[in-house]
Amino acid sequence: DAKTTQPPSMDCAEGRAANLPCNHSTISGNEYVYWYRQIHSQGPQYIIHGLKNNETNEMASLIITEDRKSSTLILPHATLRDTAVYYCIVRVWSAGKSTFGDGTTLTVKP
Amino acid sequence: GAGVSQTPSNKVTEKGKYVELRCDPISGHTALYWYRQSLGQGPEFLIYFQGTGAADDSGLPNDRFFAVRPEGSVSTLKIQRTERGDSAVYLCASSLTSGGDGYTFGSGTRLTVV
């Protein structure tokens, strides 16, 4: 699986959009981008995934650059409950396992 | 069930003892994954099952670690001769298939070896 690079920490004001970047410059054509988050003392939670088109669901939006070398997870209106560690992962669809890095700790502040 | 269930939630054991950690995946999920997580780090892959068979066990650190899933649902992670370095949170996840579905994780078992 291609390696991902994320900033170790970010802050965001409550009610504002949180934009979490991920660099995956060595991504292959058949690798998808996945995002998970982990709230303290819980298991990680799946958020969203995409290949090359932008994706949106009830939790977030995923924007993937045209060259697919980076992506951004957007939480449109961050709340205090969005404070968590966010993991960006790339993996082949049929790979089975996912490789997690150390993620970005997002702190949403009132 | 509604989610992935892991038992026990906490386990304290003495160095050298044997432990078993149990995972009940979501009903109908064919793929099951074990990870372990040390403080301040991301989850580290251990093994994954597709049905009853271990499709990839490349993450098991050594032969003290073993996992089974005999009927394709419940899985047990077994650790022999535990060492203090085995202390971590052990996470289990399941997905509908081993394809591109997102995982559903359990809350983990916190293992402490004293």
PDB file of all heavy atoms in Angstrom, chain A residues 11-41:
ATOM      1  N   ASP A  11      -6.213  22.329  14.790  1.00  0.00           N
ATOM      2  CA  ASP A  11      -7.313  22.870  15.575  1.00  0.00           C
ATOM      3  C   ASP A  11      -8.376  23.410  14.636  1.00  0.00           C
ATOM      4  O   ASP A  11      -8.075  23.812  13.503  1.00  0.00           O
ATOM      5  CB  ASP A  11      -6.825  24.012  16.474  1.00  0.00           C
ATOM      6  CG  ASP A  11      -5.928  23.542  17.605  1.00  0.00           C
ATOM      7  OD1 ASP A  11      -5.934  22.324  17.898  1.00  0.00           O
ATOM      8  OD2 ASP A  11      -5.219  24.380  18.189  1.00  0.00           O
ATOM      9  N   CYS A  12      -9.601  23.452  15.129  1.00  0.00           N
ATOM     10  CA  CYS A  12     -10.697  24.008  14.349  1.00  0.00           C
ATOM     11  C   CYS A  12     -11.699  24.616  15.328  1.00  0.00           C
ATOM     12  O   CYS A  12     -11.940  24.058  16.409  1.00  0.00           O
ATOM     13  CB  CYS A  12     -11.368  22.900  13.530  1.00  0.00           C
ATOM     14  SG  CYS A  12     -12.790  23.441  12.579  1.00  0.00           S
ATOM     15  N   ALA A  13     -12.295  25.749  14.944  1.00  0.00           N
ATOM     16  CA  ALA A  13     -13.326  26.364  15.778  1.00  0.00           C
ATOM     17  C   ALA A  13     -14.653  25.659  15.549  1.00  0.00           C
ATOM     18  O   ALA A  13     -15.008  25.296  14.412  1.00  0.00           O
ATOM     19  CB  ALA A  13     -13.439  27.846  15.448  1.00  0.00           C
ATOM     20  N   GLU A  14     -15.379  25.490  16.634  1.00  0.00           N
ATOM     21  CA  GLU A  14     -16.699  24.862  16.557  1.00  0.00           C
ATOM     22  C   GLU A  14     -17.587  25.609  15.576  1.00  0.00           C
ATOM     23  O   GLU A  14     -17.640  26.845  15.573  1.00  0.00           O
ATOM     24  CB  GLU A  14     -17.333  24.842  17.938  1.00  0.00           C
ATOM     25  CG  GLU A  14     -18.625  24.068  18.043  1.00  0.00           C
ATOM     26  CD  GLU A  14     -19.191  24.055  19.452  1.00  0.00           C
ATOM     27  OE1 GLU A  14     -18.806  24.936  20.256  1.00  0.00           O
ATOM     28  OE2 GLU A  14     -20.002  23.171  19.754  1.00  0.00           O
ATOM     29  N   GLY A  15     -18.283  24.853  14.723  1.00  0.00           N
ATOM     30  CA  GLY A  15     -19.175  25.446  13.733  1.00  0.00           C
ATOM     31  C   GLY A  15     -18.516  25.771  12.407  1.00  0.00           C
ATOM     32  O   GLY A  15     -19.211  26.004  11.409  1.00  0.00           O
ATOM     33  N   ARG A  16     -17.193  25.786  12.391  1.00  0.00           N
ATOM     34  CA  ARG A  16     -16.474  26.050  11.148  1.00  0.00           C
ATOM     35  C   ARG A  16     -16.155  24.729  10.450  1.00  0.00           C
ATOM     36  O   ARG A  16     -16.243  23.642  11.021  1.00  0.00           O
ATOM     37  CB  ARG A  16     -15.183  26.817  11.448  1.00  0.00           C
ATOM     38  CG  ARG A  16     -15.368  28.097  12.228  1.00  0.00           C
ATOM     39  CD  ARG A  16     -16.232  29.092  11.508  1.00  0.00           C
ATOM     40  NE  ARG A  16     -15.569  29.683  10.353  1.00  0.00           N
ATOM     41  CZ  ARG A  16     -14.885  30.830  10.399  1.00  0.00           C
ATOM     42  NH1 ARG A  16     -14.750  31.488  11.525  1.00  0.00           N
ATOM     43  NH2 ARG A  16     -14.322  31.304   9.303  1.00  0.00           N
ATOM     44  N   ALA A  17     -15.765  24.843   9.180  1.00  0.00           N
ATOM     45  CA  ALA A  17     -15.368  23.658   8.442  1.00  0.00           C
ATOM     46  C   ALA A  17     -13.967  23.221   8.871  1.00  0.00           C
ATOM     47  O   ALA A  17     -13.071  24.046   9.040  1.00  0.00           O
ATOM     48  CB  ALA A  17     -15.383  23.939   6.945  1.00  0.00           C
ATOM     49  N   ALA A  18     -13.810  21.918   9.037  1.00  0.00           N
ATOM     50  CA  ALA A  18     -12.496  21.341   9.312  1.00  0.00           C
ATOM     51  C   ALA A  18     -11.998  20.684   8.034  1.00  0.00           C
ATOM     52  O   ALA A  18     -12.708  19.859   7.447  1.00  0.00           O
ATOM     53  CB  ALA A  18     -12.574  20.321  10.440  1.00  0.00           C
ATOM     54  N   ASN A  19     -10.815  21.092   7.590  1.00  0.00           N
ATOM     55  CA  ASN A  19     -10.233  20.553   6.362  1.00  0.00           C
ATOM     56  C   ASN A  19      -8.960  19.796   6.711  1.00  0.00           C
ATOM     57  O   ASN A  19      -7.956  20.400   7.084  1.00  0.00           O
ATOM     58  CB  ASN A  19      -9.902  21.680   5.384  1.00  0.00           C
ATOM     59  CG  ASN A  19     -11.146  22.433   4.941  1.00  0.00           C
ATOM     60  OD1 ASN A  19     -11.898  21.977   4.098  1.00  0.00           O
ATOM     61  ND2 ASN A  19     -11.359  23.592   5.547  1.00  0.00           N
ATOM     62  N   LEU A  20      -8.995  18.487   6.598  1.00  0.00           N
ATOM     63  CA  LEU A  20      -7.858  17.662   6.992  1.00  0.00           C
ATOM     64  C   LEU A  20      -7.145  17.150   5.746  1.00  0.00           C
ATOM     65  O   LEU A  20      -7.724  16.407   4.960  1.00  0.00           O
ATOM     66  CB  LEU A  20      -8.329  16.489   7.853  1.00  0.00           C
ATOM     67  CG  LEU A  20      -8.894  16.885   9.208  1.00  0.00           C
ATOM     68  CD1 LEU A  20     -10.408  16.848   9.218  1.00  0.00           C
ATOM     69  CD2 LEU A  20      -8.349  15.985  10.292  1.00  0.00           C
ATOM     70  N   PRO A  21      -5.872  17.519   5.586  1.00  0.00           N
ATOM     71  CA  PRO A  21      -5.138  17.110   4.379  1.00  0.00           C
ATOM     72  C   PRO A  21      -4.443  15.769   4.534  1.00  0.00           C
ATOM     73  O   PRO A  21      -4.112  15.338   5.641  1.00  0.00           O
ATOM     74  CB  PRO A  21      -4.119  18.232   4.228  1.00  0.00           C
ATOM     75  CG  PRO A  21      -3.815  18.629   5.640  1.00  0.00           C
ATOM     76  CD  PRO A  21      -5.092  18.439   6.423  1.00  0.00           C
ATOM     77  N   CYS A  22      -4.226  15.138   3.393  1.00  0.00           N
ATOM     78  CA  CYS A  22      -3.466  13.887   3.360  1.00  0.00           C
ATOM     79  C   CYS A  22      -2.676  13.851   2.055  1.00  0.00           C
ATOM     80  O   CYS A  22      -3.224  14.084   0.986  1.00  0.00           O
ATOM     81  CB  CYS A  22      -4.416  12.699   3.447  1.00  0.00           C
ATOM     82  SG  CYS A  22      -3.578  11.087   3.423  1.00  0.00           S
ATOM     83  N   ASN A  23      -1.405  13.532   2.180  1.00  0.00           N
ATOM     84  CA  ASN A  23      -0.561  13.397   0.997  1.00  0.00           C
ATOM     85  C   ASN A  23      -0.318  11.923   0.728  1.00  0.00           C
ATOM     86  O   ASN A  23       0.033  11.168   1.636  1.00  0.00           O
ATOM     87  CB  ASN A  23       0.771  14.119   1.228  1.00  0.00           C
ATOM     88  CG  ASN A  23       1.688  14.013   0.033  1.00  0.00           C
ATOM     89  OD1 ASN A  23       2.282  12.973  -0.229  1.00  0.00           O
ATOM     90  ND2 ASN A  23       1.788  15.090  -0.725  1.00  0.00           N
ATOM     91  N   HIS A  24      -0.532  11.514  -0.517  1.00  0.00           N
ATOM     92  CA  HIS A  24      -0.298  10.110  -0.916  1.00  0.00           C
ATOM     93  C   HIS A  24       0.293  10.130  -2.314  1.00  0.00           C
ATOM     94  O   HIS A  24      -0.323   9.626  -3.264  1.00  0.00           O
ATOM     95  CB  HIS A  24      -1.562   9.255  -0.820  1.00  0.00           C
ATOM     96  CG  HIS A  24      -2.844   9.989  -1.083  1.00  0.00           C
ATOM     97  ND1 HIS A  24      -3.303  10.299  -2.352  1.00  0.00           N
ATOM     98  CD2 HIS A  24      -3.773  10.476  -0.216  1.00  0.00           C
ATOM     99  CE1 HIS A  24      -4.454  10.931  -2.253  1.00  0.00           C
ATOM    100  NE2 HIS A  24      -4.768  11.057  -0.978  1.00  0.00           N
ATOM    101  N   SER A  25       1.468  10.705  -2.427  1.00  0.00           N
ATOM    102  CA  SER A  25       2.074  10.984  -3.737  1.00  0.00           C
ATOM    103  C   SER A  25       2.450   9.727  -4.508  1.00  0.00           C
ATOM    104  O   SER A  25       2.638   9.790  -5.730  1.00  0.00           O
ATOM    105  CB  SER A  25       3.293  11.886  -3.566  1.00  0.00           C
ATOM    106  OG  SER A  25       4.236  11.278  -2.715  1.00  0.00           O
ATOM    107  N   THR A  26       2.574   8.583  -3.823  1.00  0.00           N
ATOM    108  CA  THR A  26       2.960   7.346  -4.524  1.00  0.00           C
ATOM    109  C   THR A  26       1.763   6.438  -4.785  1.00  0.00           C
ATOM    110  O   THR A  26       1.931   5.260  -5.084  1.00  0.00           O
ATOM    111  CB  THR A  26       4.021   6.585  -3.718  1.00  0.00           C
ATOM    112  OG1 THR A  26       3.475   6.237  -2.436  1.00  0.00           O
ATOM    113  CG2 THR A  26       5.272   7.432  -3.524  1.00  0.00           C
ATOM    114  N   ILE A  27       0.567   6.986  -4.709  1.00  0.00           N
ATOM    115  CA  ILE A  27      -0.644   6.174  -4.872  1.00  0.00           C
ATOM    116  C   ILE A  27      -0.675   5.548  -6.265  1.00  0.00           C
ATOM    117  O   ILE A  27      -0.288   6.174  -7.260  1.00  0.00           O
ATOM    118  CB  ILE A  27      -1.901   7.021  -4.610  1.00  0.00           C
ATOM    119  CG1 ILE A  27      -3.137   6.150  -4.469  1.00  0.00           C
ATOM    120  CG2 ILE A  27      -2.063   8.089  -5.681  1.00  0.00           C
ATOM    121  CD1 ILE A  27      -4.364   6.910  -3.951  1.00  0.00           C
ATOM    122  N   SER A  28      -1.129   4.302  -6.309  1.00  0.00           N
ATOM    123  CA  SER A  28      -1.254   3.601  -7.586  1.00  0.00           C
ATOM    124  C   SER A  28      -2.665   3.787  -8.143  1.00  0.00           C
ATOM    125  O   SER A  28      -3.580   4.153  -7.430  1.00  0.00           O
ATOM    126  CB  SER A  28      -0.989   2.109  -7.390  1.00  0.00           C
ATOM    127  OG  SER A  28       0.294   1.887  -6.872  1.00  0.00           O
ATOM    128  N   GLY A  29      -2.811   3.477  -9.433  1.00  0.00           N
ATOM    129  CA  GLY A  29      -4.091   3.698 -10.081  1.00  0.00           C
ATOM    130  C   GLY A  29      -5.240   2.896  -9.512  1.00  0.00           C
ATOM    131  O   GLY A  29      -6.392   3.292  -9.630  1.00  0.00           O
ATOM    132  N   ASN A  30      -4.929   1.768  -8.887  1.00  0.00           N
ATOM    133  CA  ASN A  30      -5.990   0.910  -8.341  1.00  0.00           C
ATOM    134  C   ASN A  30      -6.131   1.039  -6.828  1.00  0.00           C
ATOM    135  O   ASN A  30      -6.773   0.205  -6.192  1.00  0.00           O
ATOM    136  CB  ASN A  30      -5.737  -0.548  -8.719  1.00  0.00           C
ATOM    137  CG  ASN A  30      -4.438  -1.074  -8.128  1.00  0.00           C
ATOM    138  OD1 ASN A  30      -3.611  -0.304  -7.635  1.00  0.00           O
ATOM    139  ND2 ASN A  30      -4.254  -2.375  -8.167  1.00  0.00           N
ATOM    140  N   GLU A  31      -5.536   2.057  -6.244  1.00  0.00           N
ATOM    141  CA  GLU A  31      -5.644   2.265  -4.796  1.00  0.00           C
ATOM    142  C   GLU A  31      -6.698   3.319  -4.474  1.00  0.00           C
ATOM    143  O   GLU A  31      -6.758   4.374  -5.113  1.00  0.00           O
ATOM    144  CB  GLU A  31      -4.293   2.660  -4.197  1.00  0.00           C
ATOM    145  CG  GLU A  31      -3.308   1.501  -4.152  1.00  0.00           C
ATOM    146  CD  GLU A  31      -2.005   1.865  -3.458  1.00  0.00           C
ATOM    147  OE1 GLU A  31      -1.386   2.869  -3.866  1.00  0.00           O
ATOM    148  OE2 GLU A  31      -1.627   1.146  -2.519  1.00  0.00           O
ATOM    149  N   TYR A  32      -7.505   3.005  -3.493  1.00  0.00           N
ATOM    150  CA  TYR A  32      -8.541   3.899  -3.016  1.00  0.00           C
ATOM    151  C   TYR A  32      -8.028   4.668  -1.802  1.00  0.00           C
ATOM    152  O   TYR A  32      -7.158   4.197  -1.072  1.00  0.00           O
ATOM    153  CB  TYR A  32      -9.780   3.104  -2.601  1.00  0.00           C
ATOM    154  CG  TYR A  32     -10.584   2.563  -3.755  1.00  0.00           C
ATOM    155  CD1 TYR A  32     -10.096   1.547  -4.570  1.00  0.00           C
ATOM    156  CD2 TYR A  32     -11.861   3.053  -4.023  1.00  0.00           C
ATOM    157  CE1 TYR A  32     -10.848   1.047  -5.626  1.00  0.00           C
ATOM    158  CE2 TYR A  32     -12.620   2.567  -5.065  1.00  0.00           C
ATOM    159  CZ  TYR A  32     -12.096   1.560  -5.868  1.00  0.00           C
ATOM    160  OH  TYR A  32     -12.851   1.075  -6.906  1.00  0.00           O
ATOM    161  N   VAL A  33      -8.641   5.807  -1.537  1.00  0.00           N
ATOM    162  CA  VAL A  33      -8.357   6.593  -0.346  1.00  0.00           C
ATOM    163  C   VAL A  33      -9.485   6.387   0.658  1.00  0.00           C
ATOM    164  O   VAL A  33     -10.666   6.546   0.307  1.00  0.00           O
ATOM    165  CB  VAL A  33      -8.231   8.101  -0.671  1.00  0.00           C
ATOM    166  CG1 VAL A  33      -7.928   8.887   0.601  1.00  0.00           C
ATOM    167  CG2 VAL A  33      -7.164   8.334  -1.729  1.00  0.00           C
ATOM    168  N   TYR A  34      -9.133   6.017   1.867  1.00  0.00           N
ATOM    169  CA  TYR A  34     -10.099   5.802   2.944  1.00  0.00           C
ATOM    170  C   TYR A  34      -9.780   6.748   4.103  1.00  0.00           C
ATOM    171  O   TYR A  34      -8.625   7.047   4.372  1.00  0.00           O
ATOM    172  CB  TYR A  34     -10.002   4.368   3.492  1.00  0.00           C
ATOM    173  CG  TYR A  34     -10.552   3.299   2.593  1.00  0.00           C
ATOM    174  CD1 TYR A  34      -9.831   2.861   1.487  1.00  0.00           C
ATOM    175  CD2 TYR A  34     -11.783   2.715   2.860  1.00  0.00           C
ATOM    176  CE1 TYR A  34     -10.340   1.875   0.653  1.00  0.00           C
ATOM    177  CE2 TYR A  34     -12.286   1.723   2.037  1.00  0.00           C
ATOM    178  CZ  TYR A  34     -11.555   1.311   0.941  1.00  0.00           C
ATOM    179  OH  TYR A  34     -12.066   0.335   0.126  1.00  0.00           O
ATOM    180  N   TRP A  35     -10.834   7.130   4.806  1.00  0.00           N
ATOM    181  CA  TRP A  35     -10.670   7.899   6.030  1.00  0.00           C
ATOM    182  C   TRP A  35     -11.435   7.219   7.164  1.00  0.00           C
ATOM    183  O   TRP A  35     -12.576   6.789   6.994  1.00  0.00           O
ATOM    184  CB  TRP A  35     -11.183   9.332   5.863  1.00  0.00           C
ATOM    185  CG  TRP A  35     -10.266  10.212   5.074  1.00  0.00           C
ATOM    186  CD1 TRP A  35     -10.169  10.305   3.717  1.00  0.00           C
ATOM    187  CD2 TRP A  35      -9.316  11.143   5.598  1.00  0.00           C
ATOM    188  NE1 TRP A  35      -9.207  11.226   3.363  1.00  0.00           N
ATOM    189  CE2 TRP A  35      -8.679  11.765   4.502  1.00  0.00           C
ATOM    190  CE3 TRP A  35      -8.940  11.526   6.890  1.00  0.00           C
ATOM    191  CZ2 TRP A  35      -7.688  12.734   4.653  1.00  0.00           C
ATOM    192  CZ3 TRP A  35      -7.958  12.491   7.045  1.00  0.00           C
ATOM    193  CH2 TRP A  35      -7.346  13.076   5.935  1.00  0.00           C
ATOM    194  N   TYR A  36     -10.748   7.164   8.317  1.00  0.00           N
ATOM    195  CA  TYR A  36     -11.344   6.696   9.555  1.00  0.00           C
ATOM    196  C   TYR A  36     -11.074   7.747  10.626  1.00  0.00           C
ATOM    197  O   TYR A  36     -10.149   8.558  10.488  1.00  0.00           O
ATOM    198  CB  TYR A  36     -10.712   5.381  10.024  1.00  0.00           C
ATOM    199  CG  TYR A  36     -11.065   4.166   9.209  1.00  0.00           C
ATOM    200  CD1 TYR A  36     -10.442   3.927   7.987  1.00  0.00           C
ATOM    201  CD2 TYR A  36     -12.010   3.261   9.663  1.00  0.00           C
ATOM    202  CE1 TYR A  36     -10.765   2.800   7.236  1.00  0.00           C
ATOM    203  CE2 TYR A  36     -12.326   2.129   8.925  1.00  0.00           C
ATOM    204  CZ  TYR A  36     -11.698   1.916   7.711  1.00  0.00           C
ATOM    205  OH  TYR A  36     -12.028   0.801   6.982  1.00  0.00           O
ATOM    206  N   ARG A  37     -11.830   7.702  11.708  1.00  0.00           N
ATOM    207  CA  ARG A  37     -11.484   8.520  12.856  1.00  0.00           C
ATOM    208  C   ARG A  37     -11.617   7.676  14.116  1.00  0.00           C
ATOM    209  O   ARG A  37     -12.357   6.694  14.153  1.00  0.00           O
ATOM    210  CB  ARG A  37     -12.366   9.760  12.948  1.00  0.00           C
ATOM    211  CG  ARG A  37     -13.803   9.510  13.374  1.00  0.00           C
ATOM    212  CD  ARG A  37     -14.544  10.833  13.443  1.00  0.00           C
ATOM    213  NE  ARG A  37     -15.914  10.673  13.906  1.00  0.00           N
ATOM    214  CZ  ARG A  37     -16.779  11.685  13.977  1.00  0.00           C
ATOM    215  NH1 ARG A  37     -16.413  12.920  13.611  1.00  0.00           N
ATOM    216  NH2 ARG A  37     -17.998  11.481  14.411  1.00  0.00           N
ATOM    217  N   GLN A  38     -10.893   8.104  15.153  1.00  0.00           N
ATOM    218  CA  GLN A  38     -10.898   7.377  16.410  1.00  0.00           C
ATOM    219  C   GLN A  38     -11.053   8.379  17.544  1.00  0.00           C
ATOM    220  O   GLN A  38     -10.174   9.208  17.784  1.00  0.00           O
ATOM    221  CB  GLN A  38      -9.608   6.574  16.579  1.00  0.00           C
ATOM    222  CG  GLN A  38      -9.616   5.661  17.787  1.00  0.00           C
ATOM    223  CD  GLN A  38      -8.427   4.727  17.804  1.00  0.00           C
ATOM    224  OE1 GLN A  38      -7.379   5.006  17.219  1.00  0.00           O
ATOM    225  NE2 GLN A  38      -8.562   3.593  18.479  1.00  0.00           N
ATOM    226  N   ILE A  39     -12.193   8.267  18.190  1.00  0.00           N
ATOM    227  CA  ILE A  39     -12.465   9.083  19.365  1.00  0.00           C
ATOM    228  C   ILE A  39     -11.864   8.370  20.564  1.00  0.00           C
ATOM    229  O   ILE A  39     -11.857   7.140  20.622  1.00  0.00           O
ATOM    230  CB  ILE A  39     -13.975   9.321  19.508  1.00  0.00           C
ATOM    231  CG1 ILE A  39     -14.471  10.145  18.312  1.00  0.00           C
ATOM    232  CG2 ILE A  39     -14.328   9.991  20.820  1.00  0.00           C
ATOM    233  CD1 ILE A  39     -15.972  10.239  18.176  1.00  0.00           C
ATOM    234  N   HIS A  40     -11.377   9.130  21.506  1.00  0.00           N
ATOM    235  CA  HIS A  40     -10.648   8.584  22.650  1.00  0.00           C
ATOM    236  C   HIS A  40     -11.351   7.374  23.265  1.00  0.00           C
ATOM    237  O   HIS A  40     -12.549   7.400  23.512  1.00  0.00           O
ATOM    238  CB  HIS A  40     -10.482   9.688  23.705  1.00  0.00           C
ATOM    239  CG  HIS A  40      -9.661   9.265  24.872  1.00  0.00           C
ATOM    240  ND1 HIS A  40      -8.344   8.869  24.748  1.00  0.00           N
ATOM    241  CD2 HIS A  40      -9.963   9.152  26.180  1.00  0.00           C
ATOM    242  CE1 HIS A  40      -7.879   8.549  25.935  1.00  0.00           C
ATOM    243  NE2 HIS A  40      -8.847   8.713  26.826  1.00  0.00           N
ATOM    244  N   SER A  41     -10.557   6.310  23.427  1.00  0.00           N
ATOM    245  CA  SER A  41     -11.013   5.086  24.093  1.00  0.00           C
ATOM    246  C   SER A  41     -12.030   4.277  23.290  1.00  0.00           C
ATOM    247  O   SER A  41     -12.666   3.381  23.838  1.00  0.00           O
ATOM    248  CB  SER A  41     -11.603   5.378  25.478  1.00  0.00           C
ATOM    249  OG  SER A  41     -10.619   5.925  26.317  1.00  0.00           O
TER     250      SER A  41
END
